[in-house]
Amino acid sequence: MQIKELEETLGGLLLERSARQVALTRFGEELAQRVRDILRSVDELGDFARASQDRFAGRLRIGMIPTIAPYLLPKITKNLTRMHPELDIRVRETMTPRLIQELIEGRLDTAIVALPVSEPSLTEVALFDEKFLLVRPGADEGTPVPSREMMRELRLLLLEEGHCFRDQALSFCNMQSAPPREMLDANSLSTLVQMVSAGIGVTLIPEMAVPVETRSASVSLARFRDPEPSRTIGMVWRKTSPLARQLLQISEVVCLSAGKARPRQAARSQRA
């Protein structure tokens, strides 16, 4: 009834109704986007007020991808709580495309992801680079490390579609146009490592995951010859965010939590 009343007030149909479904009309889609923009602007008023204060307090909504969150989140939360006890930290863990969408829509303040994201409306800050290690069954300890070309012949275990780490591993192995002969997918690095421990295949994992994921698995670790596969970890936020100065400070806390000195690269918008 409220929607019907709104349609009468606006003089147009918002919903296309049928016996089986209800969908937004073109007018409804345009109105919904304008409403999202308005709500985001209202939300940023609170951010603007917080940014004008000397202390960093209130809600902080951070997004992280699954191949980072389990290994950095506890340290980041501990350090942020110690340095800024008035912060209300809220974490969202999901894959990069969803984080970027929620960031653009104003549902997140910042996200920690693998760069680049190449979104014009966002500021990117490169924090540090991280190597990938080869995980093999324990029986392979001491055997020669396969080359990139040889990886194509192995039974490679990877994260399922949608994970950027999957794409990075495939890129290193030159498998975009020629998939491996036999490849299995999983939803977490923990599952991948345990599958390797069971002798099912081999996998790649980021360096920060090694202490957690290999402590209870019978696997061997090996580094590739140069150039080693790697990824760049960074923070992103809206260029219009009033919290940009505080988020840049938080990027330093993230580096501290990862055992790095300072962000590797200044924010692009600030360099400009």
Side-chain angles (χ1 to χ4, degrees), residues 113-117 124-127 168 231-236 265:
V113 298
L115 299 182
V117 296
E124 297 182 14
V125 179
L127 301 179
Q168 292 156 359
R231 64 179 178 177
T232 299
I233 304 301
M235 275 180 60
V236 293
Q265 171 184 308

Side-chain angles (χ1 to χ4, degrees), residues 3-264:
I3 293 174
K4 188 71 174 178
E5 184 177 341
L6 181 59
E7 288 177 328
E8 293 174 357
T9 301
L10 295 173
L13 291 177
L14 299 175
L15 298 175
E16 181 181 346
R17 303 167 177 86
S18 67
R20 293 188 176 182
Q21 67 177 4
V22 177
L24 285 171
T25 62
R26 181 176 177 182
F27 174 62
E29 290 177 349
E30 293 179 357
L31 182 70
Q33 183 57 54
R34 288 177 180 268
V35 169
R36 292 189 192 101
D37 293 340
I38 292 171
L39 291 175
R40 184 171 66 241
S41 297
V42 170
D43 198 42
E44 287 183 349
L45 286 176
D47 293 340
F48 176 77
R50 286 189 292 152
S52 65
Q53 300 173 359
D54 292 334
R55 69 186 192 283
F56 198 6
R59 181 187 63 188
L60 177 65
R61 301 164 300 178
I62 303 177
M64 294 188 195
I65 55 177
T67 56
I68 293 177
Y71 320 111
L72 269 186
L73 178 58
K75 297 176 182 178
I76 293 173
T77 303
K78 180 180 179 180
N79 287 329
L80 282 176
T81 301
R82 175 177 54 83
M83 300 169 68
H84 305 283
E86 296 182 9
L87 270 182
D88 175 18
I89 302 171
R90 305 182 186 183
V91 179
R92 168 84 160 121
E93 180 185 342
T94 188
M95 289 183 280
T96 300
R98 192 168 299 172
L99 289 177
I100 298 305
Q101 184 62 36
E102 294 182 9
L103 193 56
I104 292 172
E105 293 175 355
R107 289 186 280 164
L108 289 174
D109 297 311
T110 185
I112 301 174
V113 298
L115 299 182
V117 296
S118 302
E119 169 53 53
S121 65
L122 300 180
T123 291
E124 297 182 14
V125 179
L127 301 179
F128 56 89
D129 293 329
E130 180 185 35
K131 306 294 186 182
F132 301 163
L133 275 70
L134 175 65
V135 184
R136 300 182 289 181
D140 289 349
E141 181 74 38
T143 59
V145 178
S147 65
R148 296 173 60 167
E149 293 72 22
M150 293 171 62
M151 290 291 294
R152 297 164 60 94
E153 305 300 321
L154 301 178
R155 192 178 195 185
L156 184 63
L157 312 178
L158 294 172
L159 293 175
E160 63 183 359
E161 293 277 356
H163 288 271
C164 59
F165 186 73
R166 172 194 177 94
D167 299 332
Q168 292 156 359
L170 286 174
S171 176
F172 169 71
C173 299
N174 290 328
M175 291 180 178
Q176 297 98 324
S177 58
R181 294 180 303 176
E182 192 170 8
M183 187 167 61
L184 300 176
D185 298 344
N187 193 41
S188 70
L189 294 177
S190 179
T191 300
L192 290 179
V193 173
Q194 292 303 321
M195 291 167 71
V196 173
S197 180
I200 297 176
V202 302
T203 192
L204 278 67
I205 65 172
E207 199 166 15
M208 71 171 71
V210 169
V212 174
E213 302 301 352
T214 63
R215 60 190 174 192
S216 61
S218 178
V219 296
S220 64
L221 298 170
R223 291 188 178 276
F224 291 95
R225 293 185 292 273
D226 288 333
E228 294 182 76
S230 65
R231 64 179 178 177
T232 299
I233 304 301
M235 275 180 60
V236 293
W237 58 79
R238 294 183 302 281
K239 289 182 177 179
T240 59
S241 174
L243 297 175
R245 179 173 58 85
Q246 287 86 347
L247 293 174
L248 196 55
Q249 294 173 2
I250 287 179
S251 72
E252 297 184 356
V253 177
V254 175
C255 285
L256 173 67
S257 303
K260 310 295 181 180
R262 295 179 64 84
R264 198 195 72 186

